[in-house]
Amino acid sequence: MASFDFNPIADYVILKFKCPECGTENETDALSVPTPDFAAENHRDSCNYDEYEHECSNCGHIFDITINNGIYGGDGEISDVDDVSVEEEFPEDDYYEEFKSSFFDEHVVETIDVLDKIDALDEISRKLLYRTLYANVISSMEAYLSDRLIQKVLSSEDNKRLFVENFKDFNDSKISISDIFKQMENLDSYIKKTLRDIIYHNLPRVKNIYKTTLSVDLGDVSELMKCISIRHDIVHRNGKDKNGNLRDISKDDVSILAQKVSDFIQNIENQFLMQSIDDSEIDSLFNL
């Protein structure tokens, strides 16, 4: 059985592999990626899955395929093969290429669209949807933080080393000398799994990881933590606070939160942009 990973933003995945029975190169149809549960508290609970079968085009051997997708990443398995490659398809290639690091952006656009469409509903329905949209904005922000961190860490050997050396949970890990090369071979997968399992609504902890690994300062997260607390009440207390009072979320509350998170993410992206510009380019910008 072979495992594979894919970007959670993808609409479809296509698997390519060699049939172990006859040696024929196979390519599946475009397999639809399930939508995560964005109201879930963690990656595991957010995962939805679909099951497929693929028949070898030559010998008819049947391969069982499972595709899982959660708020912090997608993965899957295919039976009876040792190696598989994945091709991803996205709904709007131009849009994705422009915002491929920002899972959040896709959802904030949908949120604003929905806000304008539910004005005609009755008050009870509107307030229920406002609470749901509020929670979804926070979930989308967490998905962005996860997706961007994983992409940045795995794209640079320097970042991998900084993450491994500074991540406190690794301090007590014991590795025998005989297992060093095995650990190195599986390092990327281990880092990815570790990053997915982080609770991204714990912004102070996430802030420390971004700072020590990527030299990116998330800034003051205290106001967003208050919003995350509201989201917790919506998801886990049926919209009520600790005292049993129903959270009264308005259309403006959702719009303000969406803008607040958008500014938060833009600050992160601006820092990444500045890191990508070398000193000579910076000098030229200021000497214009």
Side-chain angles (χ1 to χ4, degrees), residues 19-37:
C19 176
E21 298 292 331
C22 65
T24 300
E25 296 290 343
N26 274 256
E27 180 176 313
T28 67
D29 295 331
L31 307 176
S32 180
V33 171
T35 302
D37 178 5

Side-chain angles (χ1 to χ4, degrees), residues 145-146 149-150 152-171 187-198 200 205-206 208-215:
L145 290 170
S146 169
L149 182 58
I150 292 172
K152 281 291 186 178
V153 170
L154 295 181
S155 66
S156 164
E157 293 299 320
D158 289 340
N159 288 346
K160 288 181 196 176
R161 179 165 184 166
L162 285 169
F163 174 69
V164 171
E165 291 179 348
N166 290 285
F167 189 59
K168 292 182 178 180
D169 290 16
F170 289 165
N171 289 345
L187 183 60
D188 281 11
S189 296
Y190 188 70
I191 289 175
K192 183 182 291 187
K193 181 181 183 304
T194 300
L195 290 172
R196 282 183 180 171
D197 289 342
I198 290 171
Y200 282 86
R205 188 186 193 206
V206 174
N208 180 65
I209 296 172
Y210 265 79
K211 185 65 176 178
T212 57
T213 303
L214 305 177
S215 297

Side-chain angles (χ1 to χ4, degrees), residues 273-288:
L273 177 61
M274 293 304 295
Q275 290 175 359
S276 68
I277 302 174
D278 61 34
D279 291 340
S280 62
E281 289 176 308
I282 294 175
D283 290 340
S284 67
L285 288 173
F286 283 102
N287 290 328
L288 288 177

Side-chain angles (χ1 to χ4, degrees), residues 59-82:
C59 70
H61 184 84
I62 300 296
F63 299 90
D64 295 318
I65 302 169
T66 302
I67 297 179
N68 306 291
N69 198 22
I71 54 178
Y72 301 148
D75 58 66
E77 295 178 336
I78 178 171
S79 64
D80 302 332
V81 301
D82 296 324

